Amino acid sequence: MSNSKLPEGRAENKTQEETPMELYQVDPTHDVRWAELVERHPKASGFHTVAWLETLQRTYGYEPVVFTTSPPTSELKNGLVFCRVESWLTGRRLVSLPFSDHCEPICDSAEDVNFLIRHLQTELGHQGWKYLELRPINGHFGQPGDETGLLPAARYFLHTLSLRPDLNELFRGLDRDSVQRRIQRAEQADLVEKCGRSENLLKDFYSLFVKTRGRHHLPPTPYAWFRNLAQCQGKALEIRLAYKDETPVSAILTLQFRDVVYYKYGCSDARFNKYGATPWLLWSAIAAGKSNGAREFDMGRTEADNAGLLAFKNHWVPQPKQLIYWRYPHTSSINSADDLKLKLAKHLFSSMPNRLLTITGRLIYRHIG
């Protein structure tokens, strides 16, 4: 079984437990029980949906898989969703989930989570996986009594804004200088907002996205990712662009699942930052989400050392949550060797024109999920 997949259905080589639970696997893109579980379970998010999983699969070739204690003939009651990442460059691994800010285990008890993780840990060597990684918002790992052996691999901040207050109260709660006044400045600048999922909007969005990544000396996510995301998400996805005299100056991309709006991507032309277009678009997305029944605006993860982005989001949500990614076995993504590789890569990227950065993005992203 060194390189074979776990068999569909009942797991082999199960350890003897006092609990009668057993391990099964399902394909979440074809088994309708997964979509039903995601739709009804309070821990599910937009990153659990079939649309998100299909986008990962179409763009990068990742294979989604769910591990559960529910037999094939019964209702799905729990599940850990992963993608099998197969890379000749970075190795084989289970990640829950690549390019996803967070992904909570859909389980009603720590016992269920622990059972599933322990069984997967026994299969790591047999399957040739380097590690498994989980990205929960509220993980119980690392606490007294935790027997999973998962350890922190990376730490971020997660900003979530409650949309329960009315719009006037929400606006008053935002930073006066960095948010309120910039929104008001944008309203006076005769900007034009366009919203939708058309190919033209997507192209204008991506042009700004490439410029923004170029400013930060980083390869942009492939265009195919955004095209597939728009096709798979349908009406759940919205692209908002701000134009100044027909020139695109800022753009954001959001997703909505149930009562949560996810701010996933933002980009801009730095020459027009004085107009405050990005806060204006975010405020527009918040107002639209609230009118569509949203109760939370998820602004996504932020690296602790990204001072500029962290300050920007803190003006909207002053007290973010801590977000920890967990791995077994512990192979930290922020150890000294990886730190050196990252510095060398950024030095190389800093000398690349945007066109070459775009080509690099198409080549490397599937290896870093």
Side-chain angles (χ1 to χ4, degrees):
M1 288 179 58
S2 58
N3 288 310
S4 63
K5 291 184 283 188
L6 284 169
E8 199 74 20
R10 184 170 173 174
E12 295 180 356
N13 302 323
K14 297 185 298 297
T15 58
Q16 294 299 318
E17 303 275 345
E18 292 182 0
T19 171
M21 291 190 293
E22 296 178 355
L23 180 69
Y24 302 89
Q25 69 168 335
V26 299
D27 179 348
T29 62
H30 288 90
D31 193 323
V32 297
R33 296 179 302 158
W34 175 251
E36 293 168 353
L37 176 64
V38 169
E39 190 58 38
R40 71 174 184 268
H41 203 283
K43 292 184 179 179
S45 73
F47 300 117
H48 291 89
T49 62
V50 173
W52 184 260
L53 298 175
E54 286 182 339
T55 305
L56 289 167
Q57 190 171 42
R58 284 190 192 184
T59 309
Y60 302 115
Y62 301 152
E63 182 184 359
V65 59
V66 169
F67 297 97
T68 179
T69 63
S70 301
T73 56
S74 71
E75 180 184 58
L76 208 61
K77 295 183 178 180
N78 56 43
L80 289 182
V81 61
F82 291 88
C83 277
R84 291 187 175 100
V85 179
E86 308 273 349
S87 169
W88 58 266
L89 184 62
T90 55
R92 306 176 72 242
R93 54 200 182 273
L94 283 177
V95 182
S96 180
L97 280 165
F99 305 114
S100 308
D101 295 327
H102 48 77
C103 189
E104 195 78 10
I106 301 187
C107 296
D108 292 326
S109 69
E111 289 74 19
D112 286 355
V113 178
N114 292 346
F115 175 86
L116 293 168
I117 291 174
R118 287 199 301 270
H119 276 272
L120 291 175
Q121 288 169 336
T122 64
E123 288 294 331
L124 279 176
H126 295 305
Q127 302 298 323
W129 299 323
K130 288 175 60 178
Y131 60 80
L132 62 86
E133 178 174 300
L134 281 84
R135 303 178 175 186
I137 297 177
N138 301 301
H140 68 281
F141 311 116
Q143 302 298 319
D146 173 34
E147 300 176 356
T148 63
L150 291 168
L151 290 172
R155 298 176 186 271
Y156 303 93
F157 291 104
L158 178 66
H159 295 74
T160 55
L161 177 67
S162 173
L163 302 187
R164 294 178 184 274
D166 63 44
L167 277 178
N168 289 333
E169 185 178 348
L170 277 172
F171 189 81
R172 289 194 298 269
L174 304 176
D175 186 90
R176 176 170 295 184
D177 292 327
S178 298
V179 180
Q180 292 184 20
R181 289 179 179 172
R182 294 182 71 191
I183 293 172
Q184 293 165 344
R185 189 183 311 148
E187 290 172 343
Q188 298 166 1
D190 295 324
L191 299 179
V192 175
E193 181 190 29
K194 295 183 181 180
C195 179
R197 293 171 293 281
S198 71
E199 190 71 22
N200 287 337
L201 281 178
L202 187 58
K203 287 179 179 178
D204 282 351
F205 165 86
Y206 195 69
S207 176
L208 289 171
F209 186 74
V210 171
K211 288 180 181 179
T212 302
R213 297 291 281 181
R215 286 201 307 271
H216 295 106
H217 308 302
L218 293 171
T221 307
Y223 182 80
W225 166 258
F226 296 104
R227 184 187 63 235
N228 291 332
L229 195 61
Q231 291 174 354
C232 292
Q233 291 284 340
K235 293 181 180 180
L237 178 144
E238 284 190 332
I239 299 170
R240 294 178 181 273
L241 273 122
Y243 293 83
K244 178 65 175 175
D245 300 327
E246 299 186 358
T247 299
V249 300
S250 182
I252 65 172
L253 187 152
T254 61
L255 306 170
Q256 182 163 353
F257 174 70
R258 294 198 308 223
D259 61 354
V260 180
V261 175
Y262 300 87
Y263 166 46
K264 197 68 186 80
Y265 301 100
C267 45
S268 65
D269 186 329
R271 297 174 300 168
F272 299 91
N273 281 354
K274 63 181 179 180
Y275 294 119
T278 299
W280 181 61
L281 290 176
L282 283 170
W283 179 246
S284 177
I286 287 170
K290 189 169 174 59
S291 70
N292 289 330
R295 296 187 176 186
E296 183 173 279
F297 194 77
D298 184 326
M299 302 188 75
R301 77 179 193 189
T302 307
E303 293 83 357
D305 61 355
N306 192 338
L309 184 58
L310 191 59
F312 175 81
K313 291 184 181 179
N314 283 344
H315 292 143
W316 297 77
V317 183
Q319 296 181 324
K321 303 174 186 175
Q322 187 177 58
L323 182 64
I324 303 175
Y325 291 1
W326 301 84
R327 282 187 188 175
Y328 177 89
H330 185 244
T331 54
S332 174
S333 61
I334 50 176
N335 61 28
S336 57
D338 285 335
D339 222 20
L340 178 60
K341 291 177 185 176
L342 183 61
K343 289 179 181 178
L344 291 173
K346 286 187 174 180
H347 178 72
L348 176 63
F349 295 150
S350 67
S351 62
M352 286 186 180
N354 285 354
R355 182 173 175 275
L356 190 54
L357 279 174
T358 301
I359 295 172
T360 302
R362 289 202 300 265
L363 295 175
I364 69 169
Y365 266 90
R366 68 174 303 271
H367 298 287
I368 61 176

